[in-house]
Structures are given as structure tokens and as C-alpha cells.
Amino acid sequence: MYKLYCRAYQTAYRGALYFLPWRKPRLIEGENSLAELPGILKESGISSVLVITDEGISSLGLMDALLQDLKNNNIRYSVYDKTVPNPTIDNIEDALKMYHSKECEGIIAFGGGSPIDCAKAVGARVARPDKTIPEMKGQLKVRRKLPLLAAVPTTAGTGSEATIAAVISNPETHEKYAINDLSLIPQIAVLDPLLTVKLPPHITSTTGMDALTHAVEAYIGRSRTRETMECSKQAVNLIFSNLYEAYSNGENITARTNMQKASYLAGVAFTRAYVGYVHAIAHTLGGFYSVPHGLANAVILPYVLEYYGESVHQPLAELADAAGIGSPTDPASEKAAAFIAAIKKLNTDMKIPDKVDGISETDIPLMVKRALMEANPFYPVPKILADADLSKLYFLIKQ
């Protein structure tokens, strides 16, 4: 009966999605495309912005040209660079205070998924000063227009520049949860591959596998549309063709450009079709042990795909065809196995471990509970799993 309830919930939600005002960000892409952003902001009537980033980005000087261009366009700026990996409520509230005290009119998120998530949450608090971050947890609880938000990703993985989600962490309770609302989709997304050239190999690899996880989970789920299927296929093809090259030769602008596009396409796919148990488990590992999200997804993905069994053979076979993996004439089960094997090989080639170190057995029951609370009944997964299934998966990935 529980599985029937989950499927009924997902069917009802999928039907409601068709009536929502979906949109995509205005896309600015290509080498040096970041230089176009200040002029666009000026045309939009923005005279003061809050730039949300982290200390690593700030110290590298990646924003220097942008800040100078903002100044040249008579746009005042303030920089909040205290965002931590897995941004916290304290991060959001501190940045919110700066937004108001500096009388900002718009927000630029500059960095990986954490600064973009932080910026989205700040925008949500500006739009809904009557609601706390925990009160906006879940689905469609913002429902107000945010101030202009421009996302400038410096990694190729999260796809946050295209999504409705902002993922927040609470270090006190070890929770990691999402705020999901269409108003959180940035109005502008800048895909400038030059910003990713200096990305360290281990960040290139894990963020790239994050994008692959988005594309795969969106494709195998039951809320996919023709558009999300096409986006997922394109993303998977680009990732298998370019990720290892970007990892081993970071100066390859073509590979960097293609990975940014793959991340964006995967973001478009999963923000509409959603993710699954890989993400639910990964969020608990981030909340309990601060495991980087991309790394967690990379490790977990092949285990969950194998656990799904027959339920994913056909969609994985189609993704294998899209990526040129295996023979087109092979049975679906063999193509699916080849696709999972290719994921494992990509992880191995990029020195990503096949287990997660540091998982405590005493934490597993609570992590199982929280992962199931996130996934069921909402995520339209190919196969509904229960407590015992997730317990097995945690023990499989445990070092």
C-alpha cells in the first residue's frame, strides 16, 4: 500500500507540474562572456548588487575583472565571501543583513553550488521576510518574485544556475535539505569556460560526476518529459566525451566549455524531472560528515543503479546508446551493465574512491530515516525502496 501511495502522490504532482510557470534563465555563454553581465545589469536598472561567493574564489582573484566592470558601469557592489561548503542558515542571514544594509537591488552568485545556493536563499528571504529558511523547506513555499539574481558558476557540475533548488545545511542537527520553488531559478546564467580553467582536477572530477548523476537520475525517473530526456542524453554524451579530458588537461577550453554546457543541461533536466535515492543518500553524508556533494554522488551512483536492477535496464540502455557505450545491438540488460561499468571506470580513472570513509554504523538508522523522508513519496524513482534497502546501500558504500 505504501508504494501505491508514493506512486499516486508522484502522479498527482507530475500532473500539477504542467500548470506551473516554468522558465529558463537568460543564458550568456562563451569565452569572456562574463564581461557582458554588468551591462545587462545596468540595462535592467540595477545600481547596487551583493556579490555572494566564498573565500577561495575571493582569494584567487577570479572576480577582479567583474568587480572592475561593475565599477565602470557605475554599479555599486558589496562582497559577501564567507559562504562555506554546504551553506548554512547563518551564512544566509549574514549575507541578508549585508544586502539590506548596503541597499542592494540585485544579487550575483559567483562560485560553485554553495554560493549559488546561498544566494538563492538570500533572495528567498528578501522576497519573504515573514518566513524563516526552515519554514521554506520543501516544495513551493516561496511563491514570490526574487530580486534580480545572476548565477556565475565556476564549476561544471551542480547545474544550480538552471534549477529551482537551494540546498541548505544545519550543522547543529546534521540536516541537509532543499528549498524548491520556481522563483529560485536565476534570471541570468553566465557560462564562461575561462572561469573553470584553474579548477583543481579533484574538483573537476567530482563536480562533473555530480552533473552525470543529475542527468542519469532525471532520465531514469518517472517524471521525465521529452525535453528533460533530450537534455539528459545530451549531457551524458558531453560528459563521457569531455570530463576525463577536462580532468587531465584543464587548459582545454573546448572540454571546459562542453562540461559547462553539460552541467547546465543536466540542471534543466533534473529541476523538472527530479532526482532520486542517490541524492537523498548523498545529502545525509553531507549533513553528517560534510562529504562534498559531488564526491558522494560519484561514489553512490553505481551502487544505486545496480540495486535498481531490471527497473532501469531500458533507460540506462538508452543512455548507453547516447554516450556511445557498448554495441547498439546488445540486449538492454547488457547495455545497462556496460553503462554502469563505464561510470565505475570513469571514477577509477579520475582517482575517485569506490567507498565513503568515516561512516559510523550508529548513524545509519537516522540517515536512512532522513533519506527516506527526502525521497518518499516525492522523488519519482524507478523503484520504491524501503528502510531495509537503504540500510543495505549504506553498508555497501561504507569503507
Side-chain angles (χ1 to χ4, degrees), residues 113-169:
S114 294
I116 298 176
D117 283 349
C118 183
K120 288 179 176 182
V122 171
R125 288 283 286 119
V126 173
R128 294 303 301 262
D130 57 316
K131 284 194 171 186
T132 64
I133 290 298
E135 287 172 338
M136 289 186 277
K137 173 184 176 181
Q139 313 306 315
L140 306 176
K141 294 178 182 176
V142 181
R143 298 195 303 276
R144 295 286 189 281
K145 185 178 180 181
L146 270 61
L148 189 145
L149 172 61
V152 185
T154 59
T155 64
T158 70
S160 295
E161 68 276 6
T163 73
I164 65 171
V167 181
I168 313 302
S169 293

Side-chain angles (χ1 to χ4, degrees), residues 327-354:
S327 170
T329 58
D330 286 343
S333 59
E334 291 184 17
K335 287 183 186 179
F339 186 78
I340 296 171
I343 294 172
K344 291 179 178 180
K345 183 178 187 304
L346 194 52
N347 277 339
T348 300
D349 289 347
M350 297 188 298
K351 298 180 173 59
I352 294 174
D354 61 358

Side-chain angles (χ1 to χ4, degrees), residues 31 46 55 108 112 126 137 159 168 175 184 188 231 254 283 291 296 312 322 331 342 345 353 395-396 399:
E31 293 179 54
I46 300 296
E55 290 182 338
I108 299 175
V126 173
K137 173 184 176 181
I168 313 302
E175 284 183 284
L184 298 184
I188 301 168
C231 286
T254 299
H283 287 156
V291 178
V312 294
K345 183 178 187 304
F395 277 100
L396 282 172
Q399 185 72 50

